[in-house]
Amino acid sequence: NAGVMQNPRHLVRRRGQEARLRCSPMKGHSHVYWYRQLPEEGLKFMVYLQKENIIDESGMPKERFSAEFPKEGPSILRIQQVVRGDSAAYFCASSLKGEDYGYTFGSGTRLTVV
Amino acid sequence: GQSLEQPSEVTAVEGAIVQINCTYQTSGFYGLSWYQQHDGGAPTFLSYNALDGLEETGRFSSFLSRSDSYGYLLLQELQMKDSASYFCAVRDQGSGNTPLVFGKGTRLSVIA
């Protein structure tokens, strides 16, 4: 059981480029959550997806950010035209059911915008 | 909406007991969770309380008082490896369509 797999672990992008972060949930889990974490801060919710559906995107900025979880393949968090303020750790978590409290988190992608 | 308050930092001695508090405000309430995160690592689930009282899992225990909107995580026989950040989390609605909201975390430093 490989757990939640995120890649890449580290990503460096220049301002204005696009960043694509991937997340494969635990086997059998169909609920995926993306969180952003700034240094010394908590986990801030961004978006909640099920296969082919966005359930809640209330925490995701309206511009430049998008997320998907296709029928086949990993969930993708996409950040267009990155800015320095996008530098953060992005964590993906998955759960078997939406009401579960025990999320399984991936190791995160650390995005640095230079 | 929801808000959670927990101390930003706590320092304790190896072998001692430490309590990390969490108060919350939610429009509804369906349980309090605790997660641990080591520096550079992934958050990992520790415990969950839906009902009032103490839940014990080895050296870690978690307590909930719904009437006080308050909970705590108790760590006993502290070890150096317990140095990490600890987050409380809630969901304020019972439906499966609301994700967990996390507090800002308490950084625990265990010293010799």
Side-chain angles (χ1 to χ4, degrees), chain A residues 8-9 13 15 17 29-31 52 54 57 60 62 64 66 68 72-73 77 80-82 88 90 100 113:
Chain A
R9 286 296 305 274
R13 283 287 177 266
R15 280 178 295 170
Q17 290 185 319
H29 286 189
S30 60
H31 299 259
E52 300 184 275
I54 295 176
E57 56 182 347
M60 197 159 66
K62 295 281 186 283
R64 304 189 299 109
S66 62
E68 62 175 5
E72 302 290 338
L77 179 68
Q80 294 178 290
Q81 299 173 338
V82 295
Y90 292 83
D100 283 346
V113 179

Side-chain angles (χ1 to χ4, degrees), chain A residues 9 31 33 35 37 40-45 48 50 55-56 91 97-108 110, chain B residues 30-33 35 37 40-43 45 48 87 90-91 93-105 107:
Chain A
R9 286 296 305 274
H31 299 259
Y33 315 84
Y35 288 84
Q37 186 175 40
E40 310 299 322
E41 290 199 12
L43 296 150
K44 204 165 176 198
F45 167 72
Y48 165 27
Q50 282 183 270
I55 306 301
D56 183 344
F91 287 95
K97 302 176 194 173
E99 59 267 29
D100 283 346
Y101 283 82
Y103 290 178
T104 302
F105 278 84
S107 297
R110 278 137 187 94
Chain B
Y30 293 91
L32 183 70
S33 303
Y35 285 74
Q37 185 182 29
F45 172 71
Y48 164 62
F87 298 90
V90 295
R91 176 186 290 119
Q93 296 179 31
S95 83
N97 290 342
T98 53
L100 287 178
V101 174
F102 288 80
K104 290 195 173 179
R107 188 174 186 86

Side-chain angles (χ1 to χ4, degrees), chain A residues 13-31:
Chain A
R13 283 287 177 266
R14 295 187 184 279
R15 280 178 295 170
Q17 290 185 319
E18 177 180 288
R20 277 187 179 236
L21 287 62
R22 295 175 188 76
C23 169
S24 296
M26 273 192 73
K27 191 174 181 181
H29 286 189
S30 60
H31 299 259

